[in-house]
Amino acid sequence: MHPRQALLTSQLGLVVKNANTLSRSYSSVPDAVGSQDTVGGIVSNIAQHLGMGEFATGGLQLAVIGGFLAGFRYFGGYFVDYVKKRVIVTANFDSRDESYSWILNWLNEHPYSNVATQFSVSTVISRGAQRLPGEGLDSTAPAVYFLPAHGLHILRHKNRFMWLNRERPSPSVAAAGGQSNGPAERISISTFGRSRAPLHNLVLEARTLFIERDKSRTVVFAADQYGAWRRTRSRLKRPLSTIVISHTVKDRLVNDAKEFLESENFYAERGLPYRRGYLLYGQPGSGKSSMIHSLAGELGLNIYVVNLSNKSLTDDTLGELVSDTPSRCLLLIEDVDSAFVQRTQGSANSSVTFSGLLNAIDGVAAQEGRILCMTTNHIERLDPALIRPGRIDVRILFENASQAQAAELFRKFYPGLPTQDALKLSKEFSSHIPEKRFSMAHLQGYLMGQKNNPIAGANGIQEWVQRHENNGGSDSTAYDQDQEVEEFGNTGCISGTSTPVRPATPARPATPKRIPFTLPEVRKPDE
Ligand SMILES: Nc1ncnc2c1ncn2[C@@H]1O[C@H](COP(=O)(O)OP(=O)(O)OP(=O)(O)O)[C@@H](O)[C@H]1O
């Protein structure tokens, strides 16, 4: 035999011998039973039975042992997982979900965030840890949040050890995982034990903390390019008293919305879709958006804004977005005329089709308990189907400033004035303003130039008005009628009593048409 061959044979013999020894060591059966009962023995017996040589027997024994080890490795993972599941409880949070913001906020408040040596700094608490505009604008300096950095952290909460893993997959991993909503960040929090209660309570605590933080604010969500809602900003609630419109209109609108939110049973008992739609229409800068923000604040609802001009928005994503809104929220579609002029004209400015919009508004997936608000400066351009009863239940006309509104705006603009002075100066101010000639935004702009000088504000208005009238003014022709709420049938779909709005000619009329209404009074649902 060749010396190398002899060496190989002797080495293999050694391995086989060791394998026999090893296989014996796994056996818990006493030697008295005989070597036949060990794994090695059984394998060699089978090998002998098959007429295999010593070399092949050793190979077979090695293969069997390798198989055992591979099997242990494979099933060992399951075993470890099984044990983990029985002694460790874990909660996972995904950045695409609102609960992620609760946890980030909770972490920011947690003492660990002050001592963590690896931490990230953020000016916003938001999903996806994205830099989003708007937060902190109400204060002079933007807020700063200190959060544990990505990676593993061990912290103590309510006398319990917990470990937290904050992970952000790379975009390639997210793409491979088919995450169409963009790469998601994840936080998992674990602790020993089988009870979910500690983590359950932690989540509830985080939610309460977050709600407290937003209590005095209205949070605005907007659809991102992936078709998911993103928190874009939160604003201090705007008091209703700062909106200068007819008090009757304001009260009726707010009461109507409040009544709706309390009438779930009424709708359920009658099998009516539980939603309510408002259309705020009229002059630019007359307070439509401000009224909606104020209304949301009053009702304690967050605002979900859909921008139909967003080219990445499709019928499907719009439908998903609407069905993804919480059951209590205000869904806002601003400047709805800019995307849809008339059904027949298609949707040149939007990837969403007209029927896609209608489906999203009242399709089966549309959320119950939702308030829909649409705004437009051109009601006459809207397709009647879009604003038919059931989709839009209440219409509110916003006009340019009346003299009474101008006077009230003046008084609210200078709240520190003694009553007598406020009355005198506001009268002087408003007397020079032609009825419904200028928008409230326009007048507010003028007053901003006289922020600290109410007397100059009152005295200078005449010259300002003359100047703007000579220039043709920047406001369009005034309406000739009073502000009012126009009320369709309460139940929307089954009404059929209202007079539909005729699609107007494409040319912009000087004076928007008033829409006739059939029910002058707001009816209570249980009347
Ligand atoms: N009726 C009003 N009461 C108080 N402030 C008003 C009123 N109307 C307008 N403003 C002020 O004018 C500015 C613009 O108002 P807002 O955006 O609400 O108008 P809009 O009708 O929604 O305008 P557009 O149709 O152009 O979107 C805001 O700063 C708001 O405070």
Side-chain angles (χ1 to χ4, degrees), residues 238 242-245 282-291 334-335 375-377 398-399 405 409 439-442 444 483:
R238 181 168 179 164
T242 65
I243 309 294
V244 185
I245 57 171
Q283 294 294 334
S286 55
K288 299 181 289 296
S289 307
S290 307
M291 182 66 219
E334 280 192 301
D335 297 324
T375 66
T376 179
N377 297 333
F398 281 73
E399 298 179 271
Q405 274 179 294
L409 181 73
S439 73
M440 291 291 278
H442 210 167
Q444 183 182 271
Q483 261 183 351

Side-chain angles (χ1 to χ4, degrees), residues 263-316:
S263 311
E264 191 166 2
N265 288 342
F266 173 89
Y267 285 83
E269 283 160 12
R270 287 156 185 80
L272 303 172
Y274 181 42
R275 46 182 180 257
R276 196 126 176 104
Y278 300 94
L279 178 71
L280 283 68
Y281 69 100
Q283 294 294 334
S286 55
K288 299 181 289 296
S289 307
S290 307
M291 182 66 219
I292 289 170
H293 278 267
S294 211
L295 177 69
E298 181 70 17
L299 301 175
L301 302 177
N302 289 333
I303 301 177
Y304 288 73
V305 186
V306 171
N307 178 6
L308 290 175
S309 310
N310 179 351
K311 287 282 179 195
S312 61
L313 202 64
T314 63
D315 287 358
D316 287 344

Side-chain angles (χ1 to χ4, degrees), residues 96-98 127 180-181 221-224 226-230 304 306 316-329 331 360 364-368 370:
R96 288 165 297 185
D97 190 79
E98 176 66 1
R127 287 185 281 167
S180 58
N181 286 355
F221 293 86
D224 65 13
Y226 304 110
W229 289 115
R230 296 274 177 212
Y304 288 73
V306 171
D316 287 344
T317 45
L318 179 64
E320 278 170 30
L321 279 167
V322 173
S323 64
D324 277 354
T325 52
S327 55
R328 292 290 165 112
C329 75
L331 181 68
V364 278
Q367 272 291 2
E368 295 277 289
R370 187 209 57 205

Side-chain angles (χ1 to χ4, degrees), residues 381-400:
R381 293 186 185 174
L382 297 182
D383 192 297
L386 183 62
I387 50 177
R388 70 147 168 78
R391 294 195 179 111
I392 291 298
D393 305 288
V394 179
R395 297 174 186 173
I396 305 162
L397 174 62
F398 281 73
E399 298 179 271
N400 281 338

Side-chain angles (χ1 to χ4, degrees), residues 251-266:
D251 291 348
R252 285 174 71 181
L253 172 61
V254 175
N255 290 338
D256 185 84
K258 280 186 177 165
E259 206 166 67
F260 163 73
L261 291 176
E262 291 160 6
S263 311
E264 191 166 2
N265 288 342
F266 173 89

Side-chain angles (χ1 to χ4, degrees), residues 89 157 160 162 191-192 195-203:
V89 54
H157 178 64
R160 244 175 198 282
M162 298 191 169
T191 186
F192 284 115
S195 164
R196 290 159 41 130
L199 293 184
H200 193 105
N201 292 339
L202 185 153
V203 173

